Amino acid sequence: QVQLQESGPGLLKPSETLSLTCTVSDGSISSYYWSWMRQPPGKGLEWIGHIYYTGSTDYNSSLKSRVTISLDTSKTQFSLKLFSVTAADTAVYYCARWVYNSGSYYNWFDPWGQGTLVTVSS
Amino acid sequence: DIQMTQSPSSLSASVGDRVTITCRASQSISRSLIWYQQKPGKAPKVLIHAASSVQSGAPSRFSGSGSGTDFTLTISSLQPEDFAIFYCQQSYSTPLTFGQGTKVEIK
């Protein structure tokens, strides 16, 4: 079954760029949307954005000016870049597959990666 | 953006109790509602999609109902392993948005 695993630096300084990669194993990256979410410590979940296997993207407007999500189908990986980070970007970052059935209600995030904590501190 | 509001924010119940969590959308989302369970230090897991369809592998004591703006998640008989935070999420339109979560504690 498909498994996702996030990787990337866990500590950044303010103004740096957050770069995370999600590796998709035991499954194809085709025909799905691939998403990033984040969860500040002790708080709720925020959708950052997603990329379709064709390369089209959609981002949360609250982060759109600072976010890029890209796809490497040859490596079955997708990546997140968040520019000019501040302490407010400290969170556990999750990657997940968005199971989307167009024109229906049958949509959900599954599976999720285990999450990776990124701390922004000077 | 569609705002999702859950109530209560937390609750404490005994093993065997029937528990109900509500989720309200700021506009109609038809049946585009998903429920997740998140245990400490873990990623969320989907329980219910399309407002009332139980995800394969989820225990049958979990059920969902509602449409439009008002939704409920019911645990028919609370088990010790149900200690967790439950989130609703709308899939009607992007940005995809989540409720703030409901923490379920076992008495």
Side-chain angles (χ1 to χ4, degrees), chain A residues 12-86:
Chain A
L12 293 172
K13 291 182 167 53
S15 81
E16 292 184 334
T17 296
L18 180 157
S19 293
L20 297 175
T21 296
C22 183
T23 300
V24 180
S25 57
D26 299 327
S28 171
I29 209 160
S30 297
S31 304
Y32 289 102
Y33 290 84
W34 302 93
S35 300
W36 288 96
M37 266 78 67
R38 69 180 183 177
Q39 185 172 39
K43 296 189 177 180
L45 295 155
E46 179 181 32
W47 176 74
I48 297 171
H50 61 216
I51 186 166
Y52 194 41
Y53 78 103
T54 58
S56 65
T57 56
D58 193 2
Y59 301 126
N60 193 324
S61 55
S62 66
L63 296 167
K64 188 172 184 176
S65 63
R66 297 195 292 132
V67 171
T68 298
I69 297 175
S70 59
L71 190 64
D72 186 338
T73 54
S74 63
K75 295 182 180 179
T76 60
Q77 292 178 334
F78 62 105
S79 299
L80 169 70
K81 288 190 185 297
L82 180 65
F83 305 100
S84 303
V85 298
T86 69

Side-chain angles (χ1 to χ4, degrees), chain A residues 37-40 42-46 92 94 112-115, chain B residues 35-47 62 73 81-88 98-104:
Chain A
M37 266 78 67
R38 69 180 183 177
Q39 185 172 39
K43 296 189 177 180
L45 295 155
E46 179 181 32
V92 174
Y94 293 101
W112 297 59
Q114 65 184 26
Chain B
W35 289 98
Y36 299 89
Q37 178 188 47
Q38 186 178 33
K39 295 186 177 181
K42 301 293 187 182
K45 284 188 176 179
V46 58
L47 292 173
F62 292 98
L73 172 70
E81 61 267 30
D82 297 338
F83 165 74
I85 300 177
F86 294 85
Y87 292 95
C88 61
F98 294 82
Q100 82 279 14
T102 295
K103 186 174 184 179
V104 174

